[in-house]
Amino acid sequence: MNRSTAILLTISVLLIAAVLIFFYNSTVSPTVLTTVMPTVMEQVRRPQYETWPNWASLSTDTFTVLVLTFKRNDNLASVLKFYCNLALVDRVIIVWNDVDEAIPENFLNYGCSKEIYFMKPVTKSVNNGFVPYSEIRTEAVLIIHNDQILRQKDIELGFEVWQNSPQLIVGFQASVHTYNDTSKQYGLKQIPLLANKQYSFVSTAICFTHVHYLHMYTYKLPRQLFNFVAKYDNCEDIFFNGMVAEFLGSNGSEQPHCIWVKGHIEGSENNEENINDSDKEFWQQRIQAMNMMVEVYGHFPLKTSNIFVYNP
């Protein structure tokens, strides 16, 4: 290697380092997040599923709100009031997971400028919140639980980020995996909402995703993982993130599968300090789920990231 080549290589390394530092320490414009892998996006936009005959007609300018609800009627009323008034919303789909209870008339007749659809599954499961219902007519889906309300500007920013990188999950709460060299086991840790830390997956209690990933989760997720969620009503976020990370990785992507948009979620305190002893069984299941992915995929699919978008 001659001297001029060495100098150019050194400058290139320094520029890359500077860009990474910029991403980590400053507010990131959504326009920065525009890297799209053509081969992957072709698969995302053109899935071969007979169950989705109108794929080519799906809108990219609006999004569907997909709400999983269970025994929180007061919260659901607040969610409906909020999301019904957003211009970017196409339709609101409520998954009524309280299968033994009738849907109240005040919800069925709820006055809303958007179309509202109620889906009542046969059995209760958090897996019901990822079904690609035929009423969805947008590529983007905002998955939420019925206790999650964002600021309007956070939703608009999150949707803009998603439009620039629709192959990724755009989330508003994040966690990071851990690894124990002694036990050779993976674990996980929640991240305080405003912490500038690495993360490796985002919560599916509120996130933007492509409708194709709902198809993948419902029809293609390995049954061992799908049935684990059905049994414990837990770990759907881990497996959904792992599924997308595995899909992108198998198509040549070396970038993380998700982006964390830091906003404000009403009533949310994403902080590991809130975990108590009564949650130990819940967290043991989640640790088990992290290691199940290694068994199923042959490796651990999640990658850490420092990239986030901050909305003050």
Side-chain angles (χ1 to χ4, degrees), residues 189-232:
K189 181 184 291 187
Q190 286 181 291
I191 303 173
L193 196 58
L194 298 180
N196 293 343
K197 296 183 178 181
Q198 285 190 330
Y199 64 97
S200 52
F201 66 102
V202 292
S203 171
T204 55
I206 185 160
C207 70
F208 280 102
T209 189
H210 199 286
V211 67
H212 177 50
Y213 292 142
L214 302 186
H215 281 273
M216 288 181 62
Y217 184 92
T218 300
Y219 302 120
K220 299 295 184 179
L221 185 73
R223 292 300 93 174
Q224 179 183 351
L225 307 183
F226 190 88
N227 293 337
F228 186 90
V229 175
K231 180 178 180 179
Y232 295 112

Side-chain angles (χ1 to χ4, degrees), residues 63 65 67 73-92 94 107 110-114 116 142 144-157 172 206 208 264-266:
F63 59 85
V65 179
V67 185
N73 290 359
D74 290 342
N75 287 349
L76 178 58
S78 298
V79 166
L80 284 174
K81 181 180 179 181
F82 179 76
Y83 288 103
C84 275
N85 293 317
L86 295 185
L88 291 171
V89 171
D90 178 56
R91 288 175 169 174
V92 179
I94 309 297
F107 288 137
Y110 193 87
C112 181
S113 61
K114 313 294 181 181
I116 301 178
L142 177 63
I144 64 173
H145 290 180
N146 68 329
D147 57 350
Q148 305 288 301
I149 297 179
L150 284 166
R151 298 177 302 183
Q152 181 173 338
K153 67 176 186 176
D154 294 329
I155 293 175
E156 292 170 350
L157 176 59
F172 301 89
I206 185 160
F208 280 102
H264 173 75
I265 302 174
E266 184 175 303

Side-chain angles (χ1 to χ4, degrees), residues 273-303:
E273 300 300 326
N274 294 329
I275 301 171
N276 55 53
D277 290 341
S278 65
D279 298 319
K280 283 184 177 179
E281 183 177 357
F282 172 86
W283 288 99
Q284 284 301 317
Q285 292 167 0
R286 295 178 69 75
I287 292 171
Q288 183 180 350
M290 299 291 280
N291 292 282
M292 283 177 66
M293 290 196 296
V294 179
E295 299 173 13
V296 170
Y297 296 123
H299 63 99
F300 190 72
L302 302 179
K303 303 172 184 175

Side-chain angles (χ1 to χ4, degrees), residues 17-30:
V19 169
L20 291 175
I21 292 170
F22 171 80
F23 267 123
Y24 185 75
N25 290 302
S26 62
T27 300
V28 181
S29 168

Side-chain angles (χ1 to χ4, degrees), residues 16 18-24 26-36 157 160-168 255 259 306-310:
I16 291 171
V19 169
L20 291 175
I21 292 170
F22 171 80
F23 267 123
Y24 185 75
S26 62
T27 300
V28 181
S29 168
T31 57
V32 175
L33 309 172
T34 57
T35 302
V36 175
L157 176 59
E160 186 176 355
V161 171
W162 181 89
Q163 287 178 306
N164 280 286
S165 296
Q167 78 278 18
L168 306 182
Q255 66 179 330
I259 296 176
N306 289 333
I307 301 173
F308 61 88
V309 181
Y310 180 62

